[in-house]
């Protein structure tokens, strides 16, 4: 169980990205976070693994206080929280293999990993992770030689290397076309069914309906909705996204089941 | 400017104002920028013509002035006139005066002189036919002693005998040379080596070419020469008798080719040049890496102190980069003395500034995304640098460094000319001695190395980007 209490983030420029946000995520949930660009979704996700330091508030995970963790504890906590990004955030010039292996850095011997030496067990695990996302044959390609969808799958494989118990996905499909969106989200759904808690920010209402087990909505850094995906109808959607919002359907055809 | 609505004003007043002061009429119709530009352009062109002092060129500012009156009057009616006309007047004056200032004189570049330079260069002194050499010399005494008799001008060596008769002589005196025991039926080059080691040719008119005489079937030859006219010119006491030498050189080709004497120096100089560039680039890298972090805006704009450092470092880099390496070399030659080290320091100095700027731009262009992703895996600081930062900066760093080395090799060829070592040092000596065949050999050495490096560096950089 992940518990967020009164989370507030004020950036040095004075922008208040999160205001007193509180919610809970039970183990095994697929929690979708919706809200306009700039509503604080990314900040919220990054506060959970403290890539961004919260200004106030408390985040606890199974009675472990993430916000109070020492730098060393934080590294241990982070390695169990995988993260997937909108822009994939791969090292473009490195090979797919290196990118996936870097997900294992939290476990690897620091000195050997700095020298670029990896245990064969880690390499096998990386190949398995790539096979799991269907690109086992791309291990030696350069990351930027892959298509957008393939790069995001490398991003998921990298997160898998962490043996995560939570995956934070920051708009994982916003840079992809609708068909690919479904294929990527299905991998996340698969992880979720294997028992990994997923926190995912999304923009498209039909994707929310299709994948979420629960939804929270942010507006200007304030939690404005918490509930089941079915409860979000057009009216609610307009309330969250503003009157001028037009729902764009992610796709008119269903992804293969 | 575009926001200003067209103003209808009196064309007469606008024209009169522009007649008095170019651009004033345009200002009067609220086209202030146009007016200022016309005034400045007219002043610059007038100033240029006044400086050159030839009154015929005043047609240009006069033309601009007339156009400006026409333009002002038209503008008052809301219709501007094309600026192409004053631009053509201005350019005509600038290029016309420029032509005369630099003294363009195609007649001076005469074909005869060009050919005189080009002809020897067609045969570069880089390789020559491999040959054996047979050499003999005899002493000869110049001038004859005032009192007493001269030593005998004869020498025996390995079965060969060479002599000059008489034993001594002054400038232009006739001498009979004979040599025996050399290779038979072989062309023999005969030349004079002075007491201080200067070479004097003995053939042609006043010794303007090599004297070549063929030995007979017994390996002997006899010929007459005149003592070179200027032989005593460098001698303070022109009555002092000194021993000079007359050489008899024979060659026969043994088949195959070898690198000639000067060709060897061209190659040696080129290797020295490449090494200089390598050392300069290495020094450049070592100093540029730490400096580049101080010159990276994204790292330094955090607080006013670091930003001030950034501005200062950038300014210094820009100043140093604007000074050509060859000018730095002139300064370093004064500090360290002639030789490759001065050249290396000059190139290194310039390389630091150039590389630090390029490196800092690489650092500024780092994508923060992968760094964030690596941090999210629980990696420690060193691991984040190793897996998130280094892979992003190493390829462009390497690419820029190879490119810099490439540039340094080219600069190093020139730097020798001001005493900085390398092939330039030999090249400038050959140019000054009119040894155009050796110059040509140096050109070949430079071209081969530069083209090869250019090709290789392009290939390597292609793979890195």
């Amino acid at each position: 169980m992940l518990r967020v209490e009164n989370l507030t983030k004020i950036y040095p420029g004075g922008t208040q990205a999160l205001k007193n946000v509180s919610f809970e995520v039970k183990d095994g949930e697929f929690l979708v976070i919706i809200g306009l660009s700039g509503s604080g979704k990314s900040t919220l996700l990054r506060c959970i693994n403290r890539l961004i330091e919260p200004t106030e508030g408390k985040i606890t995970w199974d009675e472990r206080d993430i916000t109070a963790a020492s730098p060393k504890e934080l590294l241990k906590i982070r390695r169990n929280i995988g993260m997937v990004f909108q822009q994939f955030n791969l090292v473009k010039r490195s090979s797919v293999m290196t990118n996936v292996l870097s997900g294992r850095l939290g476990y690897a011997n620091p000195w050997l990993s700095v020298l670029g030496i990896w245990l064969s067990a880690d390499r096998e695990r990386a190949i398995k992770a790539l096979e799991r996302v269907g690109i086992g044959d791309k291990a030696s390609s350069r990351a930027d030689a892959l298509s957008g969808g393939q790069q995001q799958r490398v991003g998921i494989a990298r997160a898998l290397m962490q043996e995560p118990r939570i995956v934070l996905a920051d708009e994982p499909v916003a840079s992809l076309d609708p068909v690919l969106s479904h294929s990527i989200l299905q991998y996340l759904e698969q992880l979720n069914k294997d028992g990994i808690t997923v926190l995912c920010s999304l923009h498209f209402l039909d994707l929310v309906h299709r994948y979420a087990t629960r939804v929270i909505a942010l507006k200007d850094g304030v939690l404005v909705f918490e509930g089941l995906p079915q409860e979000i109808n057009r009216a609610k959607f307009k309330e969250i996204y503003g009157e001028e919002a037009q729902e764009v359907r992610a796709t008119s055809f269903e992804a293969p089941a | 400017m575009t926001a200003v609505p067209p103003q209808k004003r009196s064309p007469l007043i606008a024209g009169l104002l522009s007649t008095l002061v170019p651009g004033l009429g345009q200002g009067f119709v609220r086209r202030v920028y146009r007016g200022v530009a016309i005034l400045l352009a007219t002043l610059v062109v007038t100033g240029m013509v006044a400086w050159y002092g030839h009154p015929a060129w005043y047609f240009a500012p006069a033309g601009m002035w007339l156009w400006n009156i026409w333009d002002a009057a038209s503008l008052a009616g809301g219709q501007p006139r094309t600026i192409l006309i004053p631009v053509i007047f201005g350019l005509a004056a600038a290029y016309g005066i420029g032509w005369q200032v630099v003294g363009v004189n195609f007649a001076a570049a005469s074909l005869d002189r060009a050919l005189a330079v080009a002809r020897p260069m067609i045969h570069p002194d880089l390789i020559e036919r491999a040959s054996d050499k047979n050499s003999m010399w005899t002493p000869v005494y110049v001038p004859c002693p005032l009192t007493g008799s001269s030593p005998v001008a004869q020498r025996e060596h390995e079965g060969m005998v060479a002599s000059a008769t008489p034993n001594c002589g002054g400038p232009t005196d006739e001498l009979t040379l004979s040599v025996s025991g050399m290779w038979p039926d072989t062309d023999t080059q005969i030349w004079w080596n002075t007491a201080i080691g200067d070479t004097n040719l003995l053939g042609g008119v006043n010794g303007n070419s090599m004297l070549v005489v063929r030995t007979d079937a017994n390996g002997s030859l006899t010929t007459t020469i005149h003592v070179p006219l200027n032989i005593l010119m460098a001698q303070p006491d022109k009555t002092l008798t000194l021993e000079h030498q007359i050489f008899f050189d024979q060659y026969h080709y043994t088949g195959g080719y070898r690198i000639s004497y000067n060709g060897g120096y061209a190659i040696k100089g080129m290797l020295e040049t490449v090494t200089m560039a390598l050392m300069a680039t290495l020094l450049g890298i070592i100093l540029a890496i730490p400096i580049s972090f101080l010159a990276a805006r994204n790292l330094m704009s955090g607080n006013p102190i670091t930003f001030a450092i950034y501005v200062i470092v950038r300014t210094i880099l820009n100043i140093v980069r604007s000074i050509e390496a060859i000018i730095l070399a002139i300064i370093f030659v004064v500090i360290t003395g002639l030789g490759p080290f001065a050249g290396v320091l000059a190139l290194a100095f310039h390389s630091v500034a150039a590389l630090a700027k390029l490196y800092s731009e690489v650092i500024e262009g780092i994508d923060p995304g992968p760094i964030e992703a690596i941090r999210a895996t629980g990696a420690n600081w060193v691991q984040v640098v190793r897996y998130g930062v280094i892979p992003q900066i190493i390829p462009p760093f390497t690419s820029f460094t190879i490119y810099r080395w490439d540039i340094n090799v080219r600069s190093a060829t020139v730097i020798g000319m001001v005493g900085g070592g390398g092939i330039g040092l030999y090249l400038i000596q050959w140019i000054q001695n009119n040894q155009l065949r050796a110059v040509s050999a140096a050109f070949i050495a430079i071209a081969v190395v530069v083209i090869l490096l250019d090709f290789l560096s392009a290939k390597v950089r292609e793979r890195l980007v």
Side-chain angles (χ1 to χ4, degrees):
Chain A
M1 169 118 79
L2 184 74
R3 181 181 288 128
V4 176
E5 290 168 87
N6 302 322
L7 194 65
T8 298
K9 173 66 189 176
I10 301 167
Y11 283 109
T15 321
Q16 192 163 9
L18 294 173
K19 294 171 193 162
N20 254 336
V21 174
S22 301
F23 63 95
E24 283 180 4
V25 191
K26 292 193 186 64
D27 288 346
E29 275 194 292
F30 196 121
L31 180 83
V32 168
I33 304 158
I34 59 173
L36 280 170
S37 299
S39 62
K41 302 189 297 293
S42 295
T43 305
L44 174 61
L45 288 172
R46 282 168 175 73
C47 282
I48 290 171
N49 60 2
R50 273 176 61 193
L51 285 180
I52 292 174
E53 287 293 337
T55 312
E56 270 172 51
K58 194 173 167 187
I59 302 168
T60 47
W61 183 23
D62 295 345
E63 313 315 319
R64 270 195 291 182
D65 189 343
I66 295 180
T67 35
S70 71
K72 270 206 160 154
E73 284 170 334
L74 181 63
L75 296 185
K76 285 252 153 63
I77 293 168
R78 272 185 188 160
R79 71 180 192 185
N80 286 317
I81 304 178
M83 194 157 188
V84 179
F85 302 85
Q86 177 182 355
Q87 299 298 340
F88 324 134
N89 287 1
L90 304 180
V91 180
K92 294 188 177 66
R93 288 187 171 104
S94 296
S95 69
V96 168
M97 189 68 182
T98 308
N99 270 290
V100 175
L101 280 171
S102 67
R104 200 69 189 162
L105 284 169
Y107 295 90
N109 177 312
W111 301 113
L112 289 182
S113 68
V114 165
L115 295 173
I117 299 167
W118 291 91
L119 301 177
S120 54
D122 286 336
R123 291 182 174 276
E124 279 160 30
R125 185 186 290 273
I127 294 288
K128 276 196 190 123
L130 282 171
E131 278 165 1
R132 191 163 168 190
V133 292
I135 46 170
D137 56 328
K138 300 283 185 195
S140 54
S141 308
R142 253 174 69 148
D144 56 3
L146 270 54
S147 69
Q150 288 173 328
Q151 290 192 35
Q152 190 59 294
R153 287 196 258 171
V154 176
I156 294 174
R158 177 173 63 191
L160 281 175
M161 291 296 282
Q162 296 176 237
E163 298 178 73
R165 290 178 47 220
I166 297 181
V167 167
L168 308 172
D170 184 18
E171 301 194 23
V173 297
S175 305
L176 300 173
D177 64 48
V179 184
L180 284 171
S181 298
H182 274 297
S183 92
I184 292 298
L185 285 170
Q186 277 166 1
Y187 285 115
L188 290 180
E189 192 181 35
Q190 195 59 49
L191 300 185
N192 184 238
K193 283 180 179 155
D194 294 347
I196 297 171
T197 310
V198 177
L199 274 74
C200 177
S201 57
L202 284 176
H203 268 309
F204 296 116
L205 191 52
D206 58 345
L207 294 179
V208 175
H209 284 149
R210 164 78 175 74
Y211 294 99
T213 60
R214 214 154 59 85
V215 179
I216 61 172
L218 290 175
K219 189 175 184 180
D220 297 332
V222 180
L223 191 76
V224 293
F225 173 84
E226 186 172 4
L228 295 174
Q230 300 88 296
E231 292 171 46
I232 301 210
N233 50 26
R234 297 247 167 139
K236 198 78 202 167
F237 186 79
K238 285 210 167 168
E239 195 185 309
I240 295 163
Y241 278 84
E243 269 310 308
E244 288 173 24
Q246 279 287 330
E247 188 209 332
V248 182
R249 294 192 66 81
T251 176
S252 53
F253 44 92
E254 276 301 302
Chain B
M1 278 190 291
T2 47
V4 179
Q7 301 268 336
K8 295 257 175 191
R9 303 239 171 185
S10 159
L12 187 67
I13 295 174
L16 274 174
L17 284 172
S18 272
T19 312
L20 289 173
V21 178
L24 193 59
Q26 281 82 357
F28 169 67
V29 295
R30 300 285 161 85
R31 296 288 290 267
V32 177
Y33 286 111
R34 193 181 179 93
V36 171
I38 288 170
L39 180 62
L40 286 179
T42 314
L43 283 178
V44 165
V45 174
T46 311
M48 190 169 66
V49 174
W51 164 74
Y52 187 61
H54 197 292
W57 290 108
Y58 276 110
F59 84 87
M64 291 170 79
W65 176 67
L66 287 174
W67 170 85
N68 136 76
I69 298 165
W70 182 41
D71 180 63
S74 301
L75 263 181
Q79 171 72 43
R81 293 295 165 188
T82 171
I83 61 158
L84 199 61
I85 293 167
V87 166
I88 287 172
F89 274 116
L91 288 180
Y95 281 103
I97 291 174
W99 181 282
Q100 295 187 344
V101 166
V102 302
V104 175
N105 181 5
F106 290 112
S110 90
L111 188 65
D112 283 349
R113 273 182 265 180
L115 284 176
V117 173
R119 227 175 264 126
M121 293 186 73
I122 295 168
H123 306 286
D125 186 8
L126 189 59
I127 52 174
E128 61 188 12
R129 293 172 70 178
S131 59
D132 278 346
K133 184 179 177 186
N134 183 30
S135 190
M136 182 62 188
W137 58 268
T138 175
V140 64
Y141 297 90
V142 180
C144 285
L146 291 175
T147 55
S149 61
S150 162
V152 181
Q154 181 169 345
R155 175 170 170 263
E156 289 176 35
H157 181 68
E158 291 178 357
M160 296 179 284
V161 180
S163 64
T165 17
N167 292 324
C168 65
T172 72
D173 286 354
E174 191 176 277
L175 297 175
T176 302
L177 306 175
S178 59
V179 62
S180 64
M182 297 192 77
W183 291 335
D185 296 319
T186 307
D187 283 340
T188 306
Q189 298 180 356
I190 302 169
W191 54 279
W192 186 295
N193 188 33
T194 68
I196 55 168
D198 279 346
T199 299
N200 275 276
L201 302 186
L202 299 169
V205 185
N206 297 325
N208 64 359
S209 69
M210 181 66 82
L211 175 64
V212 179
V213 182
R214 207 173 168 79
T215 51
D216 62 19
N218 300 319
S220 303
L221 69 80
T222 301
T223 187
T224 58
I225 60 157
H226 293 273
V227 177
L229 177 65
N230 57 1
I231 200 88
L232 295 175
M233 211 152 76
Q235 199 168 314
D237 177 2
K238 296 187 195 325
T239 61
L240 181 67
T241 305
L242 290 175
E243 183 191 301
H244 296 238
Q245 294 168 328
I246 296 168
F247 272 84
F248 305 85
D249 290 340
Q250 294 179 313
Y251 297 91
H252 80 237
Y253 297 121
T254 54
Y257 288 87
R258 65 180 176 209
I259 289 161
S260 68
Y261 179 78
N262 283 335
Y265 274 101
I267 292 167
K268 178 175 173 274
M270 206 57 226
L271 287 175
E272 204 172 282
T273 295
V274 172
T275 319
M276 278 167 61
L278 207 58
M279 290 308 299
T281 314
L282 179 71
L283 281 175
I285 297 166
I286 293 170
L287 292 170
I289 287 177
I291 294 172
S292 66
F293 284 91
L294 298 178
R297 195 190 185 97
N298 54 345
L299 300 182
M300 301 298 285
S301 54
N303 72 58
I305 296 167
T306 56
F307 189 72
I309 295 172
Y310 159 83
V311 171
I312 293 166
V313 170
R314 270 285 162 123
T315 310
I316 293 172
L317 291 182
N318 284 337
I319 293 169
V320 173
R321 226 155 28 86
S322 68
I323 307 171
E324 272 296 327
I326 190 161
I327 293 164
L328 292 170
I330 295 170
I331 294 162
F332 279 111
V333 162
V334 178
I335 297 170
T336 70
L338 293 169
F341 187 57
V344 166
L345 285 181
L347 287 173
F349 213 71
H350 197 257
S351 297
V352 170
L355 282 175
K357 178 161 186 291
L358 291 172
Y359 288 172
S360 67
E361 275 161 14
V362 170
I363 295 168
E364 284 171 3
I366 285 182
D367 178 3
I371 296 169
E372 184 182 42
I374 304 288
R375 283 177 64 206
T377 66
N380 65 30
W381 185 83
V382 184
Q383 290 172 319
V384 170
V385 172
R386 165 68 177 78
Y387 283 87
V389 180
I390 302 271
Q392 290 198 60
I393 61 176
I394 287 293
F397 269 36
T398 316
S399 170
F400 284 135
T401 308
I402 293 172
Y403 180 53
R404 191 68 225 171
W405 181 41
D406 197 9
I407 292 174
N408 278 345
V409 170
R410 270 176 265 187
S411 302
T413 57
V414 185
I415 270 178
M417 296 203 174
V418 295
I423 196 166
L425 198 57
Y426 302 118
L427 190 53
I428 192 77
Q429 288 168 12
W430 288 329
I431 290 171
Q432 286 167 351
N433 289 342
N434 211 21
Q435 289 176 272
L436 291 168
R437 293 187 55 215
V439 169
S440 171
F443 284 179
I444 290 174
I446 293 171
V448 166
V449 170
V450 167
I451 290 169
L452 210 67
L453 273 184
D454 203 40
F455 176 76
L456 283 177
S457 94
K459 279 281 164 211
V460 173
R461 284 186 291 130
E462 219 168 74
R463 298 203 56 149
L464 286 172
V465 175

